[in-house]
Amino acid sequence: MSSVRLLSGADAPAFRRLLATDPIAYAMVSERLRVVGVGSALGAEVWGWFPDTELAAGLYLGANVVPVAADQEAVAAFASRARMTPRRCSSIVGPAGQALPLYEAVRSTWGEARDVRAHQPMLAIAGPPSVAAHPGVRPASMSDIEALFPASVAMFTEELGVSPLVPDGGAAYRRRVASLIQQGRAFVLIEDGDVVFKAEVGVIADDVAQIQGVWVEPDHRGRHLSESGMAAVVEQTRERFARTVSLYVNDYNHAALASYHRVGFVEVGEFATVLF
């Protein structure tokens, strides 16, 4: 008889095998598993679906909810349990064929999303970039935070439609930016004291690095800065963190897609993001 239950540390090897079926798509969950584990006091919940005695699918429940290797039957099983609990996440994200059906199955109790980004090409590059890297792009240092923080706020607000300054005045988000700097995972191009290009290595797991927070200062857009900037980020990320560099982007952002393709990224899947 099939069942859904909370995974424990004993289930971690089986869950890792599911994550390994698509290291790029499940990189964020893999990183969280490496940092806090499954079933630990600090870890987010991970549910498992057992159609028989073997783990066949998972559902990561943190600030983001991410389905893992979930087919139609698994999604229905997870949704049945999820509808019995209030929504605590800010988004459902993951492969579109899993994330969108899960949202449809829980929306009656979790509520309507404020935005559904149903088609987000997942891109990856596993070799040198196809364009020259900008020589000025470098890892940020803590002395850059006063310039980087407002650029990060602008990127976040533009991308997600809400400000990270609410409700705590930006204290938590500033800590996030500082943590990325301290880990060497924030890259910047600064001209005349202002950040004109930035990107972050948001996730590192299983030789995959996921780039997030890509932003070009509005007055510098249209100058192909995103191409040379991303080429520099790819080069330095592959040298320091992981051989495969990935990201996902909204399908309607034609300029960004064209830019990433020129850098050498190719499409390897499709994501979807449901924002609450």
Side-chain angles (χ1 to χ4, degrees):
M1 182 176 179
S2 66
S3 66
V4 171
R5 66 167 173 82
L6 186 66
L7 297 186
S8 68
D11 299 304
F15 188 52
R16 287 192 186 96
R17 287 192 289 272
L18 292 183
L19 296 171
T21 62
D22 195 335
I24 295 175
Y26 302 135
M28 186 274 286
V29 179
S30 295
E31 182 181 58
R32 293 302 299 160
L33 176 63
R34 176 175 55 80
V35 172
V36 300
V38 173
S40 69
L42 297 176
E45 286 188 13
V46 181
W47 296 352
W49 179 61
F50 295 80
D52 44 45
T53 60
E54 299 295 325
L55 177 66
L59 189 69
Y60 171 88
L61 298 104
N64 306 306
V65 166
V66 186
V68 175
D71 62 13
Q72 183 177 358
E73 191 176 355
V75 166
F78 288 137
S80 178
R81 175 163 176 169
R83 286 193 297 267
M84 295 187 291
T85 63
R87 176 182 61 81
R88 298 190 298 270
C89 66
S90 60
S91 70
I92 299 172
V93 62
Q98 302 174 52
L100 295 174
L102 179 64
Y103 167 59
E104 291 299 331
V106 300
R107 66 191 298 182
S108 61
T109 52
W110 280 20
E112 293 291 326
R114 61 180 177 85
D115 192 9
V116 178
R117 301 176 180 183
H119 304 287
Q120 297 177 303
M122 171 66 77
L123 309 178
I125 183 171
S130 302
V131 300
H134 196 296
V137 174
R138 58 172 175 80
S141 67
M142 286 303 296
S143 63
D144 299 315
I145 194 167
E146 297 305 327
L148 180 55
F149 183 66
S152 298
V153 170
M155 176 280 304
F156 188 102
T157 305
E158 182 178 327
E159 175 63 21
L160 297 181
V162 295
S163 172
L165 302 181
V166 179
D168 63 355
Y173 190 60
R174 188 181 178 94
R175 288 194 296 270
R176 166 70 173 166
V177 173
S179 175
L180 289 168
I181 292 173
Q182 290 163 351
Q183 296 175 73
R185 290 164 61 163
F187 292 91
V188 294
L189 174 61
I190 296 179
E191 295 181 356
D192 299 323
D194 295 321
V195 172
V196 297
F197 169 85
K198 64 170 283 291
E200 302 150 6
V201 182
V203 171
I204 303 170
D206 298 328
D207 211 21
V208 174
Q210 186 180 99
I211 305 301
Q212 301 173 351
V214 181
W215 182 80
V216 176
E217 194 275 329
D219 289 343
H220 287 73
R221 294 174 187 175
R223 306 180 188 180
H224 301 286
L225 185 57
S226 61
E227 296 169 22
S228 60
M230 279 301 298
V233 171
V234 167
E235 283 189 352
Q236 295 180 56
T237 298
R238 294 189 72 243
E239 179 181 344
R240 300 174 58 197
F241 297 118
R243 288 176 292 182
T244 297
V245 180
S246 72
L247 55 82
Y248 58 95
V249 60
N250 296 315
D251 65 336
Y252 52 77
N253 194 340
H254 302 295
L257 276 168
S259 174
Y260 297 145
H261 285 312
R262 283 191 288 268
V263 172
F265 284 87
V266 297
E267 188 167 343
V268 295
E270 184 177 58
F271 254 43
T273 301
V274 177
L275 297 169
F276 292 102

